[in-house]
Amino acid sequence: MSTLNLTLLTDLYELTMMQGYFESQSSETVIFDAFYRQNPCGNGYAIAAGLEQVIDYIKKLRFSEEDISYLRGLGMFHEPFLAYLKNFRFEGDIYAIPEGSVVFPHEPLLKVIAPIMQAQLIETAILTILNHQSLIATKAARVVRAARGDGVMEFGLRRAQGPDAGVYGARAAVIAGCVGTSNVLAGQLFDIPVKGTHAHSWIMSFPDEYTAFKTYAKLYPDACTLLVDTYDTLRSGVPNAIRVFNEMRDSGIQLKNYGIRLDSGDLSYMSKKARQMLDAAGFSDAVISASSDLDEYLIDSLKTQGAAITSWGVGTNMITSRDCPAFGGVYKLAAILDEKTGRFIPKIKLSENTDKVTNPGNKKILRIYDRENKKIRADLICLEDEVFHETEDLLIFDPLETWKKTRIKGGTYTLREMLVPVFKNGACVYTSPSVMEIRDYCTREKETLWEETKRFANPHNVYVDLSDRLYDIKRELLNQMGREGLA
């Protein structure tokens, strides 16, 4: 993204709609919400990620002469519209939930307030950026949870769906809690830790395994993790690693950041046997790391079996979110500004599928925390101008199953507004934290979730409720549409 012009990273219909608005002289200010409908991976929450790349995209949004020439060559666009594109700039407002936040279905991760042509153009790029990184961050959060405090390394570059997916997937994985990545370009771009050992080919290129280990240890005495399963893990690999560790210690090298890596076989059995051998040789602080098509379920199972593994390298299943390859975020019109009154007119999208009916209007999200334990009680989607006081009782209800109500007593909860200003009048007013700062923030965010919400199977869903005013507007619009349908 630092070198490519991404202005044409859009679906064709965004541009054809833009031309339609241009020729009909439609310039209304509108509100679009970017949100998703279901948590990925069967999770009880998602992790928001990708905002920094959205900011970069918006800042650089310009149609070059090459872009204009290409569009002219399609034979679909008229010269007055192409002339307009030459001076195109985003001049609107954007609000977003900060990266690393835990988020839930149907609440806007990002809100755009802009002239309709500008808001329309940026839809595709916003979705592809947020959808991908939020998906990988959510998957990585599950893997990190399964590791129960052990370090998780992101090892997926060679299996990612292309370079960008590998680079930005690594970024998202670190945000969600991974301790580092094998991806050197990601390390350079985002200043995140890069780590790695060696491949089986290193062992095979030497006359024997011992010589390969010894040579590697001489090169990297302070980061000596040896891959022990090239030939025979327990009869050859671990004994040769112990032989090299003994030689290092005897030569006066203070062993640190050292150990072995397992990449095949029964990882539980192999790790326990290897642990016994290392401990018997006096290397009880040697790390045993593991890779080999790991995911959260296998790691959780290995931990339950008592595997002697304390470091995990996770590749394919995390960088591709193999069991859930799409996030499903959407971008929907929520309101149009009435220039005469200066008020936004709510808009709603209907569907035969209840889950696809949108929430209308200019909205904000209030997160409700338990004052005592700081855990999330619910999220409340309400209108931008609504005010609530923490000293007053708060009655919330499920917008679909309205008989499900909860009264939260005043003084027992705190409120936090989740959407923060990112662009105002086309100018960026937000400074993105570093990836490692976002990682620390994400760790704190995950601590606000109840354990029941974090379980892998059938997690408890955090309620995302509508305020009374917003619910009434939505209901009136639905009733109005129903009356028009009968007319």
Side-chain angles (χ1 to χ4, degrees):
M1 289 185 70
S2 61
T3 56
L4 285 176
N5 173 11
L6 299 182
T7 300
L8 292 187
L9 184 68
T10 190
D11 292 303
L12 180 62
Y13 79 168
E14 311 289 12
L15 290 162
T16 58
M17 284 188 286
M18 283 181 72
Q19 179 166 252
Y21 295 136
F22 177 82
E23 295 197 350
S24 63
Q25 299 184 338
S26 297
S27 58
E28 300 100 331
T29 295
V30 298
I31 296 177
F32 275 89
D33 295 331
F35 62 95
Y36 70 101
R37 298 187 179 108
Q38 293 183 338
N39 289 317
C41 310
N43 219 35
Y45 63 95
I47 301 292
L51 179 59
E52 183 176 0
Q53 282 65 52
V54 170
I55 292 171
D56 189 55
Y57 160 74
I58 296 293
K59 284 180 176 179
K60 297 176 179 177
L61 195 57
R62 304 286 188 276
F63 286 88
S64 67
E65 289 296 330
E66 290 80 6
D67 294 336
I68 301 294
S69 177
Y70 171 75
L71 294 176
R72 180 180 291 114
L74 294 178
M76 302 174 63
F77 300 104
H78 306 152
E79 286 303 319
F81 176 63
L82 295 175
Y84 160 77
L85 293 183
K86 290 181 180 180
N87 297 310
F88 180 90
R89 300 290 186 273
F90 180 79
E91 299 168 326
D93 302 341
I94 294 179
Y95 297 81
I97 295 179
E99 289 191 87
S101 298
V102 294
V103 291
F104 309 103
H106 298 290
E107 56 191 29
L109 307 186
L110 182 143
K111 178 173 73 172
V112 175
I113 306 177
I116 192 165
M117 282 190 285
Q118 298 177 27
Q120 195 73 71
L121 174 66
I122 63 179
E123 172 183 3
T124 305
I126 284 175
L127 288 179
T128 191
I129 294 168
L130 295 183
N131 278 343
H132 174 248
Q133 289 201 48
S134 297
L135 174 69
I136 304 306
T138 305
K139 181 66 172 181
R142 290 170 61 85
V143 173
V144 169
R145 176 167 172 76
R148 306 179 196 178
D150 295 343
V152 176
M153 283 291 299
E154 186 283 307
F155 276 2
L157 177 58
R158 63 188 62 191
R159 302 286 177 79
Q161 282 95 344
D164 282 353
V167 169
Y168 294 105
R171 178 184 187 274
V174 171
I175 283 174
C178 289
V179 298
T181 178
S182 65
N183 187 329
V184 180
L185 180 56
Q188 179 192 37
L189 290 173
F190 310 123
D191 194 23
I192 56 180
V194 291
K195 298 181 181 181
T197 54
H198 57 78
H200 295 103
S201 58
W202 171 268
I203 309 297
M204 296 163 66
S205 67
F206 285 84
D208 56 75
E209 188 175 54
Y210 163 70
T211 303
F213 285 173
K214 184 174 182 178
T215 304
Y216 190 84
K218 185 175 181 180
L219 283 168
Y220 308 107
D222 295 331
C224 184
T225 299
L226 303 175
L227 181 59
V228 295
D229 72 333
T230 303
Y231 301 121
D232 188 309
T233 301
L234 299 180
R235 295 182 180 179
S236 173
V238 177
N240 278 322
I242 289 173
R243 179 181 175 186
V244 169
F245 295 154
N246 272 317
E247 291 174 356
M248 293 173 71
R249 185 168 57 187
D250 291 344
S251 65
I253 295 173
Q254 184 177 357
L255 293 170
K256 55 184 179 180
N257 301 321
Y258 78 107
I260 63 171
R261 177 163 72 96
L262 305 170
D263 190 50
S264 62
D266 186 326
L267 296 179
S268 179
Y269 174 80
M270 292 290 186
S271 67
K272 292 173 186 176
K273 289 295 185 181
R275 182 77 275 161
Q276 292 173 0
M277 296 166 70
L278 289 164
D279 290 352
F283 301 109
S284 59
D285 59 342
V287 171
I288 299 178
S289 64
S291 45
S292 186
D293 290 328
L294 298 171
D295 62 12
E296 67 268 39
Y297 300 107
L298 181 52
I299 292 174
D300 185 61
S301 176
L302 289 167
K303 294 291 289 186
T304 300
Q305 295 170 52
I309 300 166
T310 56
S311 178
W312 308 84
V314 186
T316 306
N317 292 319
M318 185 164 66
I319 201 66
T320 66
S321 188
R322 191 170 187 169
D323 60 338
C324 180
F327 191 72
V330 295
Y331 184 86
K332 299 299 181 183
L333 181 69
I336 297 178
L337 182 67
D338 184 339
E339 295 185 359
K340 293 181 180 178
T341 65
R343 299 179 65 84
F344 280 102
I345 302 170
K347 294 291 181 178
I348 193 168
K349 174 190 176 293
L350 298 187
S351 174
E352 293 294 325
N353 184 338
T354 304
D355 203 41
K356 290 189 174 183
V357 176
T358 60
N359 291 318
N362 184 11
K363 302 176 293 294
K364 63 184 177 182
I365 307 162
L366 296 178
R367 181 152 292 172
I368 307 168
Y369 296 94
D370 186 282
R371 183 178 289 275
E372 184 175 348
N373 62 26
K374 316 301 182 186
K375 302 292 187 185
I376 298 173
R377 294 289 302 271
D379 275 4
L380 182 67
I381 306 177
C382 54
L383 297 173
E384 179 62 39
D385 61 356
E386 289 192 81
V387 177
F388 298 86
H389 299 285
E390 296 173 355
T391 56
E392 299 176 355
D393 287 3
L394 184 62
L395 180 65
I396 58 176
F397 63 92
D398 188 301
L400 296 179
E401 300 171 324
T402 56
W403 62 90
K404 294 182 178 179
K405 300 176 188 258
T406 300
R407 183 178 295 278
I408 305 177
K409 192 171 181 58
T412 68
Y413 67 92
T414 60
L415 297 173
R416 173 190 171 196
E417 189 164 340
M418 295 302 295
L419 290 166
V420 300
V422 178
F423 283 87
K424 297 292 289 184
N425 299 318
C428 185
V429 296
Y430 180 82
T431 301
S432 292
S434 70
V435 171
M436 299 308 288
E437 288 171 335
I438 299 172
R439 180 182 183 273
D440 292 342
Y441 166 75
C442 185
T443 298
R444 296 191 298 272
E445 277 285 284
K446 289 183 287 185
E447 291 171 355
T448 66
L449 295 166
W450 301 81
E451 290 300 307
E452 292 83 353
T453 300
K454 293 187 280 188
R455 64 182 174 231
F456 295 142
N458 300 316
H460 171 75
N461 290 322
V462 172
Y463 288 110
V464 178
D465 298 327
L466 305 185
S467 69
D468 288 342
R469 280 182 59 195
L470 178 55
Y471 179 78
D472 289 343
I473 289 172
K474 183 174 184 177
R475 183 175 56 184
E476 176 56 31
L477 287 172
L478 291 172
N479 290 336
Q480 178 183 330
M481 295 294 180
R483 289 192 295 268
E484 291 177 354
L486 293 172

